[in-house]
């Protein structure tokens, strides 16, 4: 590297240092707020004895993400050929296999929890190959694409003239590496310098920066002032460049991408609720039986120590003259404490209801009901309650689809062709040429001719889904029963009935399992309808039989002809006789 190149690199490194510092300054308040929210959520200081915020988040978790989805890949065109179908099969199995290589479900739940607490969930796709050495050459031994969790407090993005995510030109993730990790990932002189400056036990902050305009990845550390730790050009070649999808984010106002967590919207309510709970605790401590008694009866000092007590008095007559125990014992008033507790309890319930209203959690969504309500009524109210969170559920689905699209692109770009072929079974590999073309299509076309979607199982409305499925099956059966006779007489109506059935089946949960069967069935029906009528087909005959048949036909024709001539002669004779008779009568 020339001196001018070194100077340019140093200048570029300093420029990125300024960008990182400016972005961290804007994110600083969000980072602090995230730390505060996490402490409050896990009740780290034991200050909120009734942690309604924790209960709210726990209730919303399954509404947002309940169970690991199953990816599937289909052709964007229904008329796609065998190569496209096989390519979709390879990619779908590769995605499913890859998700099984690590705990994908837990990683997604990390992002879901961050979204509900700090207002942002971030996941990162990372290509991780392993190699083995043969001589001086290194060959791939294994390869997979890991979904990596990113703590929101370690995530940075472009904040200069950025209103929405699509304006972002760079993103970065911050990690802390020890010197062994530095030595494994960067040049030896980098580890040498850092070891000499900080010692062997030091941990160094490293920023991995993805810059879209230059299609470059920079590794920057503020502890290494001379240069970047490393720089390399984009090797993933993703359509969106960034190895992470747009994060799932809470409240945004289209003038920046730093979200506002839901906690901010209910913070005042939570603080007041904590105050009410604390006052109730102190009031309960003050609420106790206390009073005084006549000192001339020392035997009454411990009369309240036992549930049932008989006390021997030395001067019982004096007690009677004083009007009994009521005359010599008096208690401090507690009515004001009872009234205060009642008022505080009402205020606490009002605050809890307000928190549930703001966050979208309510008794109805918890599944509670009033006496006399039917199960159907409760289910309908519960379904209505989910509408408030539907937008966030849709955003979570978008986030997962985008995540799998990035994973699929990396698989297509990086996985070796022979590894992709291994996802086919022996029967599917019999046609070697088709299998190779399918892999070539994945390498060249990637996802342009395919659609990636998810099959998910909801945790609610199971009865509704079951009833919906039964209704659809009933309708499909009726359509098939009515269509059988009509289509056999009018084959041109087959595409219409096919579209009707596909539309009906598409509304069923997990309907994709019927696609291949329906396509195969309609293909056979169309083939049968296009066959010529067997009854109109003449069986094959040899020439001798044909000649005999011809001779027989000729003889039959001659006989018929002769019979016709005889009948014609008879008619002529009858006509002549009739004319003779008429002539004779006239004369």
């Amino acid at each position: 590297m020339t001196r001018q190149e070194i100077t340019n690199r140093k200048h570029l490194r300093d420029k990125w240092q300024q960008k990182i510092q400016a972005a961290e300054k804007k994110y600083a308040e969000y980072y602090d707020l995230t730390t505060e929210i996490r402490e409050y959520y896990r009740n780290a200081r034991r200050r909120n004895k009734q942690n309604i915020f924790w209960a709210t988040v726990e209730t919303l978790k399954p509404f947002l993400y309940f169970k690991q989805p199953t990816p599937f890949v289909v052709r964007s065109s229904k008329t796609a050929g065998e190569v496209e179908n096989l390519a979709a099969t390879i990619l779908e199995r590769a995605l499913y296999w890859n998700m099984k290589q690590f705990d994908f479900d837990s990683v997604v739940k990390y992002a879901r929890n961050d979204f509900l607490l700090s207002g942002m969930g971030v996941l990162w796709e990372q290509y991780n190959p392993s190699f083995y050495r043969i001589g001086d050459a290194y060959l791939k031994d294994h390869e997979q694409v890991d979904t990596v969790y990113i703590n929101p407090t370690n995530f940075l993005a472009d904040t200069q003239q950025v209103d929405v995510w699509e304006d972002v030109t760079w993103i970065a993730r911050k990690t802390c590496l020890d010197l062994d990790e530095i030595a494994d990932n960067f040049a030896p002189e980098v580890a040498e310098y850092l070891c000499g400056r900080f010692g062997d036990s030091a941990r160094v902050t490293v920023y991995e920066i993805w810059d879209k305009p230059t299609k470059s990845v920079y590794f920057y550390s503020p502890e290494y002032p001379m240069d970047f730790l490393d720089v390399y050009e984009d090797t993933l070649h993703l359509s969106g460049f960034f190895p992470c999808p747009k994060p799932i984010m809470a409240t945004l106002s289209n003038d920046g991408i730093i979200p506002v967590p839901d906690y901010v919207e209910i913070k005042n309510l939570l603080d007041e609720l904590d105050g009410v709970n604390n006052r109730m605790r102190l009031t309960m401590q003050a609420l106790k039986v206390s009073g005084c008694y006549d000192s001339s009866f020392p035997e009454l000092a411990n009369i309240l120590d036992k549930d049932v007590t008989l006390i021997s008095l030395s001067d019982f007559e004096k007690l009677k003259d004083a009007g009994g125990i009521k005359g010599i014992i008096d208690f401090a008033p507690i009515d004001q404490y009872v009234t205060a507790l009642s008022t505080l309890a009402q205020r606490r319930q009002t605050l809890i209801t307000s928190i549930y209203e703001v966050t979208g959690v309510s008794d109805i969504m918890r599944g509670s009901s009033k006496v006399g309500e039917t199960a159907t009524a409760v289910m309908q109210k519960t379904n209505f309650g989910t509408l408030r969170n539907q937008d966030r559920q849709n955003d979570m689905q978008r986030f997962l689809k985008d995540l799998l699209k990035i994973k699929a692109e990396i698989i297509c770009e990086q996985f070796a062709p022979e590894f992709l072929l291994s996802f086919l079974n022996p029967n599917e590999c019999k046609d070697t040429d088709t299998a190779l073309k399918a892999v070539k299509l994945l390498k060249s076309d990637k996802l342009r001719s395919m659609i990636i979607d998810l099959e998910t199982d909801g945790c609610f409305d199971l009865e509704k889904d079951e009833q919906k499925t039964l209704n659809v099956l009933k309708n499909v059966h009726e359509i098939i029963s009515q269509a059988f006779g009509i289509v056999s007489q009018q084959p041109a109506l087959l595409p219409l009935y096919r579209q009707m059935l596909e539309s009906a089946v598409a509304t069923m949960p997990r309907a994709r399992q019927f696609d291949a069967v329906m396509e195969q069935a309609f293909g056979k029906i169309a083939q049968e309808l296009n066959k010529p009528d067997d009854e109109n087909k003449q069986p094959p005959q040899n020439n001798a039989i044909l000649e005999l048949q011809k001779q027989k036909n000729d003889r039959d024709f001659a006989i018929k002809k002769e019979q016709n001539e005889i009948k014609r002669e008879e008619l002529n004779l009858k006509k002549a006789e009739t004319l003779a008779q008429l002539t004779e009568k006239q004369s």
Side-chain angles (χ1 to χ4, degrees):
M1 186 181 296
T2 64
R3 178 173 296 181
Q4 184 61 42
E5 289 175 336
I6 293 174
T7 302
N8 292 340
R9 280 276 291 264
K10 178 68 167 57
H11 176 72
L12 183 60
R13 184 256 179 209
D14 294 341
K15 181 180 177 182
W16 273 108
Q17 182 176 22
Q18 295 173 5
K19 286 186 177 182
I20 293 294
Q21 290 174 347
E24 284 191 323
K25 186 176 180 180
K26 287 194 174 184
Y27 271 91
E29 183 179 352
Y30 171 74
Y31 292 159
D32 293 340
L33 184 59
T34 297
T35 302
E36 176 188 336
I37 294 171
R38 288 172 171 175
E39 287 183 355
Y40 190 92
Y41 170 73
R42 62 175 180 264
N43 207 2
R45 300 177 184 175
R46 303 295 179 187
R47 63 179 183 179
N48 47 332
K49 302 299 182 181
Q50 186 183 21
N51 197 339
I52 294 299
F53 181 63
W54 171 86
T56 299
V57 171
E58 293 302 304
T59 302
L60 291 173
K61 280 181 179 180
F63 275 88
L64 188 64
Y65 173 82
F66 173 65
K67 185 179 180 181
Q68 176 172 317
T70 301
F72 67 87
V73 182
V74 295
R75 308 93 67 207
S76 55
S77 173
K78 287 287 186 180
T79 59
E82 187 177 357
V83 173
E84 289 83 358
N85 293 339
L86 202 58
T89 299
I90 293 173
L91 185 55
E92 180 178 311
R93 291 177 185 172
L95 279 172
Y96 183 79
W97 169 86
N98 191 89
M99 292 168 65
K100 292 293 184 182
Q101 302 309 300
F102 59 96
D103 194 353
F104 180 84
D105 183 58
S106 292
V107 177
V108 175
K109 286 180 178 177
Y110 297 152
R112 176 202 64 184
N113 298 347
D114 279 339
F115 167 73
L116 292 173
L117 292 176
S118 61
M120 180 166 64
V122 187
L123 296 178
W124 196 287
E125 291 296 331
Q126 184 169 293
Y127 175 59
N128 289 324
S130 60
F131 299 88
Y132 64 95
R133 183 173 180 177
I134 300 180
D136 294 334
Y138 289 88
L139 301 177
K140 279 185 183 179
D141 179 47
H142 180 75
E143 48 190 338
Q144 69 182 55
V145 185
D146 292 331
T147 303
V148 181
Y149 163 72
I150 304 296
N151 191 323
T153 58
N154 291 328
F155 180 77
L156 276 175
D158 182 12
T159 55
Q160 295 180 347
Q161 298 180 344
V162 170
D163 294 327
V164 294
W165 176 259
E166 287 69 24
D167 297 334
V168 173
T169 60
W170 63 268
I171 62 173
R173 61 171 174 171
K174 180 170 64 174
T175 57
C176 286
L177 305 179
D178 58 34
L179 291 182
D180 288 336
E181 293 171 321
I182 292 288
D184 291 340
N185 290 279
F186 304 109
E189 58 268 21
V190 174
E192 255 178 60
Y193 172 85
L194 294 173
C195 181
R197 183 178 177 185
F198 299 105
D200 294 338
S201 60
R203 292 187 65 82
V204 180
T205 301
V206 177
Y207 294 83
E208 181 182 340
I209 306 167
W210 288 68
D211 184 41
K212 184 183 288 187
T214 62
K215 300 292 183 183
S216 300
V217 181
Y218 303 97
F219 287 87
Y220 153 79
S221 174
E223 284 84 12
Y224 189 69
M226 288 84 69
D227 195 359
F228 291 106
L229 301 182
D230 199 359
V231 179
Y232 63 81
E233 294 182 356
D234 174 32
T235 58
L236 297 181
H237 305 299
L238 301 173
S239 57
F241 179 70
F242 297 139
C244 74
K246 173 185 175 182
I248 177 172
M249 291 184 279
T251 304
L252 294 173
S253 53
N254 295 344
D255 59 355
I257 60 168
I258 301 178
V260 178
D262 294 349
Y263 171 85
V264 174
E265 310 299 336
I266 60 173
K267 186 178 186 303
N268 291 337
L269 294 172
L270 291 172
D271 289 342
E272 186 179 352
L273 181 62
D274 290 342
V276 168
N277 286 330
N278 189 51
R279 287 175 181 268
M280 292 182 71
R281 179 178 59 83
L282 295 175
T283 303
M284 285 297 298
Q285 290 177 355
L287 182 60
K288 60 184 179 179
V289 178
S290 58
C292 57
Y293 65 96
D294 188 343
S295 61
S296 61
F297 294 94
E299 299 92 343
L300 298 178
N302 299 319
I303 192 172
L304 300 179
D305 290 350
K306 298 180 181 179
D307 294 336
V308 180
T309 306
L310 288 176
I311 299 174
S312 174
L313 297 177
S314 57
D315 194 350
F316 189 73
E317 290 298 325
K318 184 178 180 181
L319 176 66
K320 290 172 61 178
D321 293 341
I325 292 179
K326 292 182 179 180
I328 61 174
I329 295 179
D330 196 12
F331 293 96
I334 62 172
D335 293 346
Q336 67 270 27
Y337 295 109
V338 174
T339 302
L341 276 176
S342 177
T343 303
L344 289 170
Q346 292 176 5
R347 181 56 183 166
R348 180 174 66 177
Q349 187 57 46
T350 301
L351 290 169
I352 292 174
T353 302
S354 299
I355 291 170
Y356 284 169
E357 288 295 329
V358 174
T359 57
V361 178
S362 66
D363 288 342
I364 293 175
M365 295 174 67
R366 286 174 175 270
S368 64
S369 62
K370 296 179 181 179
V371 177
E373 284 187 319
T374 63
T376 303
V378 175
M379 182 63 70
Q380 289 175 348
K381 291 193 297 183
T382 302
N383 294 343
F384 177 77
T386 63
L387 295 178
R388 297 188 60 181
N389 291 298
Q390 188 65 56
D391 186 59
R392 290 187 169 184
Q393 289 176 336
N394 292 339
D395 196 30
M396 188 68 183
Q397 291 292 306
R398 185 275 312 163
F399 177 69
L400 291 175
K401 289 179 184 178
D402 290 349
L403 189 72
L404 290 181
K405 286 177 183 176
I406 293 174
K407 187 185 291 290
E409 284 192 62
I410 296 175
I411 288 174
C412 293
E413 180 71 28
Q414 302 295 333
F415 279 20
E418 56 271 17
F419 190 29
L420 292 173
L421 284 173
S422 68
F423 292 105
L424 296 176
N425 59 48
N427 290 332
E428 292 168 330
C429 288
K430 283 184 178 179
D431 189 346
T432 307
D433 185 55
T434 302
L436 292 175
K437 287 181 179 178
V439 171
K440 185 178 180 181
L441 180 66
L442 290 176
K443 288 290 185 181
S444 60
D445 189 64
K446 291 187 182 178
L447 306 181
R448 283 187 287 273
S449 61
M450 300 176 195
I451 299 174
I452 296 178
D453 212 331
L454 303 172
E455 286 182 350
T456 56
D457 291 325
C459 59
F460 303 101
D461 300 338
L462 296 180
E463 293 183 3
K464 183 178 178 181
D465 281 349
E466 291 175 1
Q467 186 60 44
K468 181 179 178 181
T469 300
L470 292 175
N471 291 337
V472 172
L473 291 176
K474 180 180 178 182
N475 293 335
V476 167
H477 177 71
E478 291 178 357
I479 293 174
I480 293 175
S481 300
Q482 296 174 5
F484 181 76
I486 298 174
V487 172
S488 61
Q489 299 296 323
Q490 298 290 336
L493 294 176
L494 179 62
L496 173 62
Y497 280 97
R498 176 174 184 172
Q499 185 64 43
M500 291 168 60
L501 285 172
E502 288 179 347
S503 300
V505 172
T507 63
M508 295 172 57
R510 295 168 293 281
R512 194 177 67 91
Q513 57 185 314
F514 299 103
D515 286 351
V517 177
M518 289 183 63
E519 189 172 346
Q520 185 178 8
F522 277 108
K524 290 183 177 180
I525 292 173
Q527 187 178 2
E528 290 293 330
L529 291 175
N530 291 329
K531 282 184 179 180
D533 189 359
D534 291 340
E535 294 180 358
N536 296 331
K537 293 171 63 177
Q538 297 293 336
Q541 297 173 329
N542 56 40
N543 293 335
I545 295 176
L546 290 175
E547 183 62 28
L548 291 174
Q549 185 66 38
K550 182 176 181 303
Q551 292 176 4
K552 181 178 181 299
N553 292 339
D554 291 343
R555 287 196 300 270
D556 292 341
F557 179 74
I559 293 172
K560 289 288 185 181
K561 183 178 179 181
E562 188 175 350
Q563 290 175 347
N564 290 335
E565 289 179 354
I566 293 173
K567 288 182 179 180
R568 191 177 297 111
E569 291 295 331
E570 290 177 351
L571 290 173
N572 290 335
L573 288 174
K574 288 182 178 181
K575 288 181 181 179
E577 291 178 357
T578 302
L579 288 173
Q581 290 176 356
L582 290 173
T583 304
E584 186 175 343
K585 287 181 179 181
Q586 291 176 356
S587 59

